[in-house]
Amino acid sequence: MKTKFLNFIRGVILIGVLVAVFLGCTQLLKNKSAQIKYADFFHKETNCDVLFLGTSHTLNTVLPMEMWKETGISSYNWGQSNCTPAVNYYLIQELVKYTETKLVVMDLYGLMEYEGYGNKKYRNDRLGQQRVQFDELPFSLNKVKAARDIFDNYSKNMDMVINLLTYHNRWKNLNESDFVVEESPQKGADMLVGVGTGANYTSISKEETTELSGVCYEYFLRFLDFCKEKDIEVLCVYLPYPANAEVQRRANTVGEIIESYENATYLNML
């Protein structure tokens, strides 16, 4: 009896050591860009008044620390280059577990923008950009579901859940910055300054509309439905940029649909 008990204890200790080694290797070898951007969100002690979601239009336009300085409103920027409505649909389900936000602001650039890529749920030519948000999300059944759904045509979709599957060979490129990681003070934002000439921009009438359809649009509606179910206020915006005529038509069309949701508001800044 005593021997069986000792073997059991040894087994528990061995499993504990293996888990510790696995977690340690995962932390050391992973790409630190996600940790730099998002770790602060999971470590904070206070709630975020506002969560910003969307594409690079959000990532490079909304600066939470400037907002805090000027208005006292706390926020976090979860925008990412080429982030699709499908990703945002699953992302919001995870983020609200960690903060009691008062408002979610959704950038609509991706409303139908990714219909020409793969399964339309992610840009298959920008897989590295898609990993950034997934890398720092804690493990959950919803994260597994998201990876299987969004990347359903990618044979290694579990790489999005288990970082070590992606970065196990990265030990060759480790450097000092992997051992001392400084989190970004920008609350998820990236400061990018440039000038768009708008040479091909032509403003169209607000009465011009178009048909809204497709996978991206369907996931956007699912996003709105989830927020309504959870009683989350949503502000949907087109952030200003020299949009082509078809995008302007989408912007003219989608407002009525958004405002049919009692918890949603629309702002067209095009």
Side-chain angles (χ1 to χ4, degrees), residues 34-44 76 78 136 183:
Q35 180 178 341
I36 291 170
K37 286 173 64 65
Y38 301 127
D40 186 45
F41 175 82
F42 298 105
H43 297 158
K44 63 182 175 22
Y76 216 97
W78 274 85
E136 198 61 23
E183 297 170 3

Side-chain angles (χ1 to χ4, degrees), residues 199-211:
N200 299 319
Y201 174 77
T202 301
S203 180
I204 67 171
S205 166
K206 292 182 179 180
E207 281 66 48
E208 290 191 42
T209 59
T210 189
E211 179 183 357

Side-chain angles (χ1 to χ4, degrees), residues 53-169:
L53 302 178
T55 66
S56 58
H57 289 215
T58 297
L59 173 66
N60 301 128
T61 300
V62 181
L63 302 177
M65 293 308 293
E66 290 299 306
M67 180 178 291
W68 170 259
K69 176 182 176 182
E70 296 182 11
T71 68
I73 296 173
S74 62
S75 63
Y76 216 97
N77 188 333
W78 274 85
Q80 173 61 19
S81 297
N82 297 300
C83 184
T84 66
V87 174
N88 283 316
Y89 167 66
Y90 285 103
L91 187 60
I92 188 60
Q93 296 176 53
E94 289 302 299
L95 299 185
V96 295
K97 295 177 182 178
Y98 299 93
T99 187
E100 296 179 6
T101 187
K102 298 176 182 177
L103 176 69
V104 173
V105 180
M106 168 62 76
D107 148 42
L108 296 183
Y109 176 77
L111 183 64
M112 294 172 60
E113 197 69 25
Y114 304 107
E115 291 297 320
Y117 297 93
N119 66 359
K120 305 173 179 60
K121 301 175 190 177
Y122 73 102
R123 276 195 61 164
N124 51 353
D125 62 337
R126 295 287 188 275
L127 200 58
Q129 292 177 342
Q130 313 297 293
R131 291 188 192 280
V132 175
Q133 291 161 311
F134 274 82
D135 278 359
E136 198 61 23
L137 284 180
F139 178 84
S140 71
L141 293 179
N142 187 60
K143 185 177 180 180
V144 174
K145 182 180 177 181
R148 292 174 63 87
D149 181 14
I150 297 169
F151 307 98
D152 59 7
N153 63 346
Y154 176 53
S155 61
K156 298 180 180 180
N157 53 36
M158 282 301 100
D159 289 10
M160 298 293 178
V161 179
I162 305 173
N163 288 342
L164 197 60
L165 294 178
T166 301
Y167 303 118
H168 62 279
N169 286 328

Side-chain angles (χ1 to χ4, degrees), residues 5 8 24 48 56 101 126 130 149 160 165 167 171 189 191 195 212 218 229 234 244 257 270:
F5 179 74
F8 173 76
C48 293
S56 58
T101 187
R126 295 287 188 275
Q130 313 297 293
D149 181 14
M160 298 293 178
L165 294 178
Y167 303 118
W171 61 269
M191 302 180 85
V195 177
L212 301 177
E218 290 173 6
E229 178 186 340
V234 182
N244 63 37
I257 296 162
L270 296 183

Side-chain angles (χ1 to χ4, degrees), residues 158-193:
M158 282 301 100
D159 289 10
M160 298 293 178
V161 179
I162 305 173
N163 288 342
L164 197 60
L165 294 178
T166 301
Y167 303 118
H168 62 279
N169 286 328
R170 195 173 164 270
W171 61 269
K172 304 171 186 177
N173 301 316
L174 291 178
N175 55 50
E176 184 178 350
S177 64
D178 287 289
F179 296 88
V180 182
V181 182
E182 295 186 8
E183 297 170 3
S184 168
Q186 295 301 324
K187 307 299 181 185
D190 278 348
M191 302 180 85
L192 179 65
V193 179

